[in-house]
Amino acid sequence: NGSDGYSGNLKLLPRKTISATAPLLKNYSLIHNVVILGLKSGDVFEDNLVTSYPIEVGTYSDNSRQNDFAIINGSKEFDKGWIKKAGTENTFEQAVPYEGFVGYGINGIGSYSYIYVTEIDKALEKTAPFTARKPLKFLTSLADVEKTPGSFYSPVNTNENPKQIFLHTSDGNSPNDNTTYRYEVTVRDWAINSTYQSNNIFENLWVRGFGAGNGILP
């Protein structure tokens, strides 16, 4: 509900994106010992942040969803555009564009960070959104994906962009407008990179779908 044209320093005037808030945070860091970023409870943020200063990141609430995590999401939904791989019965492919995957601790795709495919149960997601998300099994060849439901393959240690993703759904049906599942693919490497900054604090955040993994990482 925010706007990147707002001041970003009052609950009633929140900015919409983390990226638009980054210059404000940097300016604050020059004059304040502690920089605090509040993400609205229950909202989803689909960008990332790098800091050269210590930062505290948590949630704030308007009381309607005060117990919900703020979600930083590194994936995008791909429920259309899949094409049956020639010569296969169960494997679908799509070229997925991504950003990042460079810098300290990343080292490209396949050294530490990977592009993941997540299968989400549409019905279960309504009541148990965490449990509904299933990271599919990463296999190392098209042949293995073809014979393994609930799996995917993508070439690693290569730098092509977009990256070709090969998918075998859990139910064997096409991932395009699948009636049971929807699919998300990683498009960003990390959520917040504040490496080597002392006294960082991160709490009440759900970090999901990034190339560097899920959950809170050092």
Side-chain angles (χ1 to χ4, degrees), residues 87-125:
T88 71
E89 292 293 329
N90 304 303
T91 304
F92 294 82
E93 64 178 325
Q94 181 164 181
V96 174
Y98 63 88
E99 59 186 64
F101 288 91
V102 295
Y104 177 80
I106 302 298
N107 300 321
I109 299 172
S111 295
Y112 172 71
S113 298
Y114 293 83
I115 287 180
Y116 297 92
V117 178
T118 302
E119 185 177 72
I120 300 103
D121 186 307
K122 293 180 179 180
L124 184 59
E125 187 178 29

Side-chain angles (χ1 to χ4, degrees), residues 146-191:
E146 172 66 12
K147 63 185 180 183
T148 310
S151 68
F152 78 100
Y153 164 69
S154 179
V156 299
N157 295 317
T158 59
N159 59 7
E160 72 271 17
N161 193 353
K163 177 77 73 175
Q164 206 71 14
I165 306 295
F166 302 92
L167 168 65
H168 184 167
T169 63
S170 289
D171 62 6
N173 295 323
S174 169
N176 295 317
D177 297 318
N178 188 289
T179 57
T180 304
Y181 304 108
R182 63 183 187 85
Y183 295 87
E184 292 185 2
V185 182
T186 297
V187 294
R188 283 178 288 275
D189 46 10
W190 41 260

Side-chain angles (χ1 to χ4, degrees), residues 22-164:
L24 178 65
L25 296 171
K26 188 170 184 179
N27 288 339
Y28 267 55
S29 74
L30 299 176
I31 55 178
H32 297 283
N33 292 327
V34 179
V35 181
I36 301 174
L37 172 61
L39 304 179
K40 188 176 179 182
S41 177
D43 277 8
V44 179
F45 299 87
E46 297 186 342
D47 49 357
N48 51 21
L49 174 70
V50 59
T51 79
S52 57
Y53 48 84
I55 189 169
E56 297 182 12
V57 185
T59 63
Y60 73 92
S61 172
D62 62 1
N63 294 320
S64 64
R65 294 182 295 177
Q66 59 184 342
N67 295 322
D68 290 345
F69 290 110
I71 299 169
I72 311 178
N73 184 46
S75 297
K76 285 187 177 180
E77 187 170 290
F78 287 87
D79 279 343
K80 297 182 185 298
W82 297 94
I83 300 172
K84 179 74 72 69
K85 173 66 176 173
T88 71
E89 292 293 329
N90 304 303
T91 304
F92 294 82
E93 64 178 325
Q94 181 164 181
V96 174
Y98 63 88
E99 59 186 64
F101 288 91
V102 295
Y104 177 80
I106 302 298
N107 300 321
I109 299 172
S111 295
Y112 172 71
S113 298
Y114 293 83
I115 287 180
Y116 297 92
V117 178
T118 302
E119 185 177 72
I120 300 103
D121 186 307
K122 293 180 179 180
L124 184 59
E125 187 178 29
K126 296 175 183 178
T127 56
F130 184 86
T131 307
R133 304 179 66 86
K134 173 187 175 183
L136 295 187
K137 182 182 295 185
F138 173 71
L139 299 177
T140 56
S141 73
L142 279 172
D144 287 339
V145 169
E146 172 66 12
K147 63 185 180 183
T148 310
S151 68
F152 78 100
Y153 164 69
S154 179
V156 299
N157 295 317
T158 59
N159 59 7
E160 72 271 17
N161 193 353
K163 177 77 73 175
Q164 206 71 14

